[in-house]
Amino acid sequence: MKEVVLDTETTGISIKEGHRIVEIGCIELDNLIPTKNKFHSYLNPEKKVSEKALEVHGYTDDFLATQKKFIEVVEQFLEFIKDKRLIIHNAEFDLGHLNNELSLLGKKKINNEVVDTLTLARDKFPGSPVSLDALCKRYRVDNSKRAQHTALIDCDLLAKVYINLIDQKEPTLNLQNQDFEIKETFNNNVSYFKKVIHPSSGEIKKHKDYLKINLKKNFFN
């Protein structure tokens, strides 16, 4: 299944207060690798941007007033995400706003499979900061271009963070196999190899003998 990393920017936090979406960004992943397929649109929310939201993304009312309305891009957006898993940081927020926009047009809610990277990060690093910036710092993802929140930049960063979050592969040692190399690939597509050194049959025997002797000592002491 192909995946879509998705992010939105809005006029404010609360849907109940009538806040709307001002930007949608999507990057398609195929086997965790970004394709050339993207969806991006600024939107005219037909509502003033709150001061706090303006500080976050910097999109002014004058700029947004010249953009398309959601109804003009909705079909293109829905076609782009069709049958794809959605990767979202704090999915409740973005999906809440997207479903609100769809509801205003009398359309069905999004029912795609969703992976919330915020939940993944909280499970993997309980008690630690799990904002997108914090995760970029943890995984050494360069977020220097993120002076303000913009949908496509955030999608690009989240795609790199997501790959690291789900990378749970651990090298295993099989004493029956011959020497081999383990390949590890990171978010920057640079690979390196670690040589695995196996103990000789003599070393294994000495180790077993050592364990037997020490187990007896511990048992009788």
Side-chain angles (χ1 to χ4, degrees):
M1 176 186 289
K2 290 185 179 180
E3 298 172 303
V4 169
V5 182
L6 184 151
D7 185 59
T8 65
E9 300 298 338
T10 65
T11 60
I13 295 176
S14 177
I15 296 171
K16 293 181 179 179
E17 294 178 5
H19 285 296
R20 304 283 300 276
I21 294 177
V22 300
E23 183 185 22
I24 303 175
C26 298
I27 294 177
E28 183 185 67
L29 303 180
D30 188 0
N31 195 26
L32 299 179
I33 299 174
T35 70
K36 295 181 179 180
N37 295 330
K38 298 179 181 180
F39 174 87
H40 178 256
S41 181
Y42 298 111
L43 298 172
N44 177 359
E46 302 179 273
K47 178 181 175 64
K48 289 189 176 181
V49 176
S50 68
E51 290 184 8
K52 289 185 178 180
L54 182 61
E55 292 175 2
V56 171
H57 53 62
Y59 301 141
T60 64
D61 294 326
D62 289 340
F63 169 73
L64 295 173
T66 64
Q67 306 303 318
K68 294 180 179 180
K69 297 177 182 179
F70 185 71
I71 192 173
E72 299 177 71
V73 303
V74 62
E75 296 302 331
Q76 182 184 357
F77 167 69
L78 291 175
E79 182 61 29
F80 187 86
I81 67 171
K82 184 179 179 181
D83 299 327
K84 298 171 185 174
R85 181 187 292 117
L86 303 181
I87 313 302
I88 310 173
H89 199 68
N90 191 9
E92 182 179 0
F93 176 84
D94 296 272
L95 289 179
H97 279 277
L98 285 167
N99 286 330
N100 177 61
E101 297 287 347
L102 292 170
S103 177
L104 292 173
L105 299 179
K107 293 185 176 293
K108 296 180 180 179
K109 293 182 178 180
I110 293 171
N111 63 356
N112 299 51
E113 180 184 349
V114 176
V115 174
D116 189 342
T117 51
L118 183 62
T119 301
L120 286 180
R122 283 173 175 168
D123 290 342
K124 195 166 186 177
F125 308 113
S128 298
V130 288
S131 67
L132 184 55
D133 282 331
L135 293 172
C136 284
K137 183 178 181 180
R138 176 181 287 275
Y139 290 121
R140 299 182 182 179
V141 174
D142 181 7
N143 64 343
S144 58
K145 293 182 180 179
R146 200 188 189 217
Q148 289 182 306
H149 294 205
T150 59
L152 277 183
I153 288 178
D154 285 4
C155 283
D156 177 66
L157 294 175
L158 184 56
K160 295 170 182 175
V161 165
Y162 172 58
I163 292 169
N164 281 278
L165 275 174
I166 64 173
D167 181 18
Q168 298 178 343
K169 295 178 180 178
E170 296 291 340
T172 57
L173 182 63
N174 185 342
L175 298 180
Q176 303 303 315
N177 292 341
Q178 300 297 319
D179 285 355
F180 62 94
E181 292 178 331
I182 295 176
K183 179 180 178 182
E184 296 187 0
T185 304
F186 292 86
N187 59 294
N188 58 1
N189 293 324
V190 176
S191 300
Y192 77 92
F193 296 84
K194 294 193 297 186
K195 185 72 174 179
V196 176
I197 306 299
H198 296 289
S200 66
S201 58
E203 289 171 331
I204 293 175
K205 184 179 183 303
K206 288 180 181 179
H207 179 67
K208 290 180 178 179
D209 292 341
Y210 173 83
L211 290 176
K212 288 180 181 179
I213 294 170
N214 282 273
L215 283 173
K216 288 180 181 179
K217 287 181 179 180
N218 291 333
F219 181 79
F220 288 109
N221 287 339

